[in-house]
Amino acid sequence: MKGRPKVNGERLLRRLSEFAEIGKTNAGGVNRQALSNEDRAARRLLADLATARGFKIFQDAIANLFIRREGRNAALPPMLIGSHLDSQPTGGRFDGALGTLAAFEVLEALEDAGHETEAAIEVVAWTNEEGSRFAPGVMGSMAFVGAAHPDDFQSVIASDGANFREELAATLAALPEAEMRPLGTLISAYLELHIEQGPSLEREGLAAGVVTAVQGTRWLTVTFSGSAGHAGTTSLAYRRDPMVAATAALNQLQISVMPQDEDARLTVGRFSVHPGSINAIPDRVTFTVDIRHPDAASLTAIEARVRAACEEAALSQRCSVEISTSFDMPPGSFSKVMTDRIEAAARALELPYKRMISGAFHDALFVARVVPAAMIFVPCRDGISHNEAEYVEPVDVINGARLLLEATMESVS
Ligand code: HGY
Ligand code: MN
Ligand code: MN
Ligand code: MN
């Protein structure tokens, strides 16, 4: 079927359903955490689909997976499109998978139409975008642009106790036929399709978001230490209770951060108590803090406020507190050339759109440090994501892929 390449919507929707079966949860979401068996199964399926179409597959030292469709001139750096296949523990079927599978659909649409491009186009599935199992997130794209090295993560232990080094080795070994390539191979440009993970496109009845920037993210781990004791015999005067310190600090932060600044985000997603016995005063309480802001100085000010609130609470309870930073992704903006191309494609396809910034972090933000990059958003129902109820209307899936195809064809040399 020659002529202008066209997205095969039915095939793309079918692919999304196939991948949604990998790590499927009872509530209709996915649990396909980075470098898990489920992640390896999804990478295996994508690799098999790629070789079945005659595309070549590669991986690098941090297991980023690349699928290459040759162009006329192999000497030219390829255009890169893609996203991630790993998910949150109670994630949705579209976060990451949509962008990765739509990118693969772009390759298939070009192949079906026998459309030759000057340069090659490659699809990438970035390793560990989420950072939920192994912190930090966006490990694959950070290593790709040299903002980190796989060696930096070798001693990371997962939230489920797994060992990064072993899981990475198992993931690389699971695709023996993938040719190994150095980290950070030259590319010409990058585009990523992703769900908005927020409500604005749906509320405004828009088909697409032209993403111009991504807000900053910082992850802290806070540990209060006090002294364990008997719940029944230890009176107030003798308590050094880290639970009281932690809750005092969090109460202080919940009233002083987000209510004072509508652009600020502060989330405590993980909380653990040691020894976790009903009738023992804890000796240690640890929790994570995810802070976001579009402005770098505000991000730093929020971190300072977290530190101050924790230190004050520790003092008041005669406890100690340790705070470490496990992730720091400064805010960044995308290339005007690329966002203009997406905008032109949206107009050509008569898709209503707006320019917007991303509240979620993405691999594209690191890739934008080395090449012109940008993102396309599509609406998701009620803006829900990082939730098993995440949903994207089929028409929005297909429009997103059509937009990605058009903008990619405009961008590849
Ligand atoms: O957390 C984030 O912003 C991304 O969706 N992983
Ligand atoms: Mn994502
Ligand atoms: Mn996510
Ligand atoms: Mn992302």
Side-chain angles (χ1 to χ4, degrees):
M1 171 194 68
K2 303 301 172 204
R4 186 158 178 73
K6 239 170 85 47
V7 161
N8 178 330
E10 185 276 326
R11 173 171 62 193
L12 176 54
L13 293 170
R14 193 177 68 243
R15 293 255 190 280
L16 275 163
S17 303
E18 281 172 67
F19 277 77
E21 290 301 312
I22 305 175
K24 182 177 182 173
T25 64
N26 297 334
V30 290
N31 179 3
R32 198 166 57 220
Q33 298 183 65
L35 305 178
S36 64
N37 289 329
E38 295 77 14
D39 190 16
R40 287 186 276 274
R43 293 159 56 87
R44 173 77 271 162
L45 177 53
L46 186 60
D48 293 345
L49 292 170
T51 32
R53 289 299 315 240
F55 303 142
K56 274 191 80 176
I57 58 172
F58 301 83
Q59 48 185 3
D60 62 21
I62 199 157
N64 291 318
L65 174 59
F66 299 90
I67 294 164
R68 182 181 175 93
R69 179 177 186 265
E70 288 302 344
R72 274 187 289 271
N73 182 346
L76 290 174
M79 164 97 193
L80 190 65
I81 55 179
S83 191
H84 60 96
L85 287 173
D86 68 299
S87 81
Q88 287 283 320
T90 51
R93 297 176 291 138
F94 299 91
D95 176 0
L98 172 67
T100 308
L101 297 176
F104 188 69
E105 173 56 32
V106 165
L107 292 196
E108 293 209 87
L110 293 167
E111 196 68 9
D112 292 345
H115 181 92
E116 271 204 324
T117 54
E118 196 54 33
I121 300 178
E122 295 192 359
V123 168
V124 61
W126 298 109
T127 295
N128 189 24
E129 188 276 347
E130 295 291 354
S132 171
R133 185 181 188 219
F134 293 104
V138 288
M139 277 187 184
S141 51
M142 277 204 279
F144 183 79
V145 302
H149 189 276
D151 293 350
D152 303 338
F153 308 125
Q154 293 303 317
S155 56
V156 171
I157 300 296
S159 50
D160 58 16
N163 176 310
F164 179 83
R165 183 196 316 269
E166 289 162 12
E167 292 287 64
L168 176 62
T171 303
L172 287 166
L175 293 182
E177 76 278 22
E179 193 179 316
M180 288 305 288
R181 66 167 31 165
L183 280 165
T185 48
L186 196 61
I187 57 174
S188 62
Y190 177 70
L191 279 174
E192 179 169 353
L193 170 66
H194 205 285
I195 55 173
E196 179 193 350
Q197 300 178 297
S200 75
L201 291 175
E202 183 187 53
R203 277 195 195 141
E204 297 169 39
L206 298 172
V210 180
V211 186
T212 56
V214 178
Q215 71 174 344
T217 298
R218 217 167 279 177
W219 286 357
L220 308 176
T221 301
V222 179
T223 298
F224 284 98
S225 299
S227 48
H230 194 293
T233 59
T234 314
S235 66
L236 189 57
Y238 293 93
R239 287 188 178 216
R240 295 191 319 111
D241 187 344
M243 178 62 90
V244 175
T247 46
L250 289 179
N251 283 331
Q252 166 60 21
L253 291 168
Q254 293 308 346
I255 55 175
S256 68
V257 178
M258 289 178 70
Q260 317 296 333
D261 175 351
E262 64 174 9
D263 289 331
R265 302 283 184 275
L266 184 141
T267 307
V268 176
R270 197 172 277 161
F271 194 100
S272 64
V273 187
H274 180 272
S277 164
I278 294 176
N279 47 357
I281 302 166
D283 60 0
R284 202 172 57 247
V285 168
T286 299
F287 56 85
T288 57
V289 185
D290 175 318
I291 51 181
R292 311 272 175 125
H293 204 285
D295 168 61
S298 303
L299 204 56
T300 300
I302 297 169
E303 177 174 351
R305 200 175 290 166
V306 171
R307 288 178 179 276
C310 290
E311 277 145 20
E312 189 188 325
L315 206 60
S316 74
Q317 297 306 319
R318 291 172 295 124
C319 290
S320 63
V321 64
E322 273 172 67
I323 303 176
S324 59
T325 304
S326 61
F327 187 31
D328 181 2
M329 184 182 216
S333 45
F334 290 131
S335 124
K336 186 162 176 351
V337 167
M338 298 302 282
T339 52
D340 287 352
R341 280 198 188 127
I342 299 169
E343 198 166 344
R347 279 202 295 271
L349 294 172
E350 295 176 356
L351 294 173
Y353 68 91
K354 70 171 179 177
R355 294 174 86 95
M356 61 189 290
I357 79 160
S358 172
F361 63 70
H362 294 286
D363 296 295
L365 187 56
F366 274 102
V367 183
R369 292 187 178 185
V370 296
V371 290
M375 293 183 76
I376 300 165
F377 276 172
V378 290
C380 53
R381 187 168 54 196
D382 301 334
I384 288 175
S385 182
H386 288 195
N387 177 319
E388 293 160 289
E390 183 183 276
Y391 181 74
V392 181
E393 295 296 340
V395 65
D396 293 321
V397 166
I398 295 167
N399 280 338
R402 292 173 62 217
L403 198 38
L404 180 65
L405 173 61
E406 288 305 313
T408 300
M409 287 173 68
E410 281 302 305
S411 304
V412 64
S413 40

